[in-house]
Amino acid sequence: MSTQPSTVFLLMVGGQIESAEFPEFDDIYCKYCFHHGPDWLITSGLEEGLTQITKKSRDDRQQFVWNFPLDITFKSTNPYGWPQLVIHAYGFNAFGSDVVRGYGVCHVPITPGRHTMRLPMFVPESSSLLQKFTSWLLISRHPEYVDPKVIAQGEGREVTRVRSQGFVTVSFNVVMKDMKKLGYDVIPSEVSTTNIPENVGMQTQTLES
Amino acid sequence: MAEVHVIGQLVGATGFPEHSLFCKWGIHAGGAWKVLAGIREGQTQVDNPQNHDAAYWSHPIDIHFSTKGLQGWPKLHLQVWHQDSFGRNELYGYGFCHIPTSPGNHTIECPTWRPSGSFREQVSQYFLGGGPQLKNPDLIYSGADRCRLTTVAMGKVHIKLGIILRNFDKFGIEC
């Protein structure tokens, strides 16, 4: 181990794209990618990937299950630009070509531990009646984002109209290294440095005797 | 200097009389606070949900503040608007919430209100839409000049924020 003071912290993210609810569709697969700021680097793991195609469960849960693993480690000097998971789900139309079923985004949790998130999934809508008509004419050619990472950005979203039509459940296990060493607090101080008074154990002893 | 990172999302809104909602948001902080990186105001997409009770925006927030003092801890202020089928925008609610002071993950439900106006204005709003708005939007997050304003309750905005603090313990500040 190097002895010089480190200026980077590490963020290890494990997890899975567990399941989804899309009440109106069947046969869905997901693409995922991580979007992060300029100070961040991926040290191991895959930045993007593709899940299997899954059908709804044939019971009343009507659930899509992927159980798809996520494993990635980031390195950064600054929490600004904290990584976000961008998920886009696709299905098929009557002719077997791909149609987008939803985009969703969430930040990787900023506290260590296990977290489960339910991401709302939405699709962009045609902005005019004429475009709606032509997309109907060309048989469910639905509008898509050219770059799905726009949904991880705060700018340029005010012009988009969307329709939310499902959810994807993702779980994360987060571990961090050297955050505290760089002065960052991600959990309240009374939790991170629990202060147990010294006489607690002694009192129980006197009670027993 | 102590630093604060605010990382999170405007998740969505529930309890509004109609869907097709969007939100204009901003973060207001006192004079001792400086934004080092990130966008401090914005506007979300318009969501028209297919079969849910809530509108979802999933709008990311990521701001890096540095501060010389605790006074004027940042506040998030919101305006929820409704877009009707003709593309007209109508005010549906104002709200604000403090950025949490303790580090960690926080789920916030921000209640909103809108000015109700006189009886005449309420009748015209019922038939024509529109309605009174605040002339000075600073009133959303200040309590100084709210007397004689009549308002009515609207829905809730759901926000998820993660807070990371840096060097606060170095100055003896317990958060």
Side-chain angles (χ1 to χ4, degrees):
Chain A
M1 294 290 272
S2 61
T3 48
Q4 63 193 24
S6 64
T7 54
V8 296
F9 61 87
L10 294 178
L11 172 72
M12 197 201 89
V13 185
Q16 56 170 286
I17 303 174
E18 286 185 4
S19 59
E21 302 147 51
F22 286 97
E24 297 176 13
F25 307 112
D26 212 344
D27 287 306
I28 289 195
Y29 70 93
C30 279
K31 286 182 188 171
Y32 78 86
C33 55
F34 283 95
H35 175 78
H36 52 80
D39 298 340
W40 290 74
L41 262 179
I42 293 170
T43 56
S44 79
L46 296 172
E47 188 179 6
E48 50 188 26
L50 204 57
T51 70
Q52 74 269 27
I53 302 161
T54 179
K55 282 191 195 299
K56 258 186 237 187
S57 64
R58 301 293 179 221
D59 51 22
D60 4 315
R61 290 178 306 148
Q62 296 280 299
Q63 205 175 28
F64 297 90
V65 172
W66 287 295
N67 194 231
F68 187 86
L70 302 173
D71 262 306
I72 191 161
T73 307
F74 297 94
K75 179 171 93 170
S76 178
T77 53
N78 182 358
Y80 176 70
W82 197 270
Q84 298 180 67
L85 174 68
V86 179
I87 293 185
H88 26 142
Y90 290 86
F92 302 99
N93 65 8
F95 299 93
S97 54
D98 295 0
V99 186
V100 68
R101 294 293 188 224
Y103 294 90
V105 64
C106 71
H107 279 96
V108 169
I110 62 137
T111 52
R114 186 180 151 79
H115 307 264
T116 306
M117 321 274 234
R118 191 163 174 256
L119 318 189
M121 301 294 281
F122 50 83
V123 287
E125 287 209 302
S126 309
S127 48
S128 69
L129 266 176
L130 178 71
Q131 280 178 5
K132 263 184 198 162
F133 177 70
T134 51
S135 78
W136 174 81
L137 208 65
L138 297 167
I139 304 164
S140 64
R141 281 295 300 162
H142 208 280
E144 289 179 29
Y145 292 119
V146 177
D147 180 9
K149 286 185 176 177
V150 291
I151 65 162
Q153 288 157 13
E155 278 175 312
R157 303 210 19 202
E158 56 268 27
V159 286
T160 48
R161 282 196 214 183
V162 302
R163 166 176 294 257
S164 53
Q165 53 186 14
F167 294 94
V168 169
T169 306
V170 183
S171 67
F172 289 103
N173 285 297
V174 178
V175 186
M176 294 164 191
K177 181 182 182 292
D178 288 344
M179 285 292 272
K180 187 69 213 171
K181 210 184 267 179
L182 295 181
Y184 291 108
D185 286 311
V186 292
I187 44 173
S189 54
E190 72 264 27
V191 181
S192 58
T193 54
T194 319
N195 190 12
I196 302 166
E198 278 178 15
N199 56 1
V200 168
M202 286 158 66
Q203 274 177 343
T204 52
Q205 271 180 354
T206 51
L207 280 173
E208 279 164 9
S209 63
Chain B
M1 290 239 275
E3 293 170 33
V4 178
H5 287 270
V6 182
I7 295 165
Q9 251 187 12
L10 289 177
V11 179
T14 54
F16 285 90
E18 303 227 21
H19 291 307
S20 217
L21 301 173
F22 66 94
C23 181
K24 292 181 187 177
W25 62 276
I27 291 187
H28 173 82
W33 294 73
K34 232 168 59 188
V35 176
L36 294 183
I39 309 164
R40 62 189 301 170
E41 58 184 8
Q43 185 178 321
T44 68
Q45 61 205 12
V46 185
D47 185 31
N48 186 16
Q50 189 145 43
N51 40 22
H52 306 293
D53 309 323
Y56 290 102
W57 300 314
S58 300
H59 190 96
I61 294 175
D62 191 341
I63 305 178
H64 183 184
F65 286 105
S66 79
T67 178
K68 286 181 275 189
L70 290 178
Q71 281 77 34
W73 195 278
K75 293 179 191 136
L76 175 68
H77 52 93
L78 310 159
Q79 299 179 24
V80 181
W81 292 73
H82 165 68
Q83 187 171 67
D84 66 12
S85 50
F86 304 106
R88 299 181 302 177
N89 297 332
E90 181 185 2
L91 177 82
Y92 258 28
Y94 293 114
F96 93 91
C97 63
H98 280 96
I99 301 294
T101 49
S102 74
N105 286 313
H106 303 270
T107 308
I108 302 165
E109 281 184 356
C110 178
T112 63
W113 52 272
R114 68 173 170 82
S116 67
S118 62
F119 177 72
R120 213 188 117 113
E121 282 167 333
Q122 283 173 42
V123 171
S124 93
Q125 183 177 7
Y126 180 81
F127 289 105
L128 301 170
Q133 293 171 26
L134 292 181
K135 232 179 189 174
N136 177 12
D138 296 350
L139 211 62
I140 302 170
Y141 52 84
S142 82
D145 202 17
R146 286 211 197 175
C147 56
R148 294 176 60 79
L149 178 68
T150 54
T151 64
V152 58
M154 296 303 274
K156 272 183 185 156
V157 177
H158 299 259
I159 305 155
K160 272 189 188 163
L161 290 180
I163 308 296
I164 301 176
L165 305 179
R166 188 184 196 190
N167 293 343
F168 273 66
D169 44 2
K170 205 185 263 180
F171 297 99
I173 293 158
E174 290 156 10
C175 290

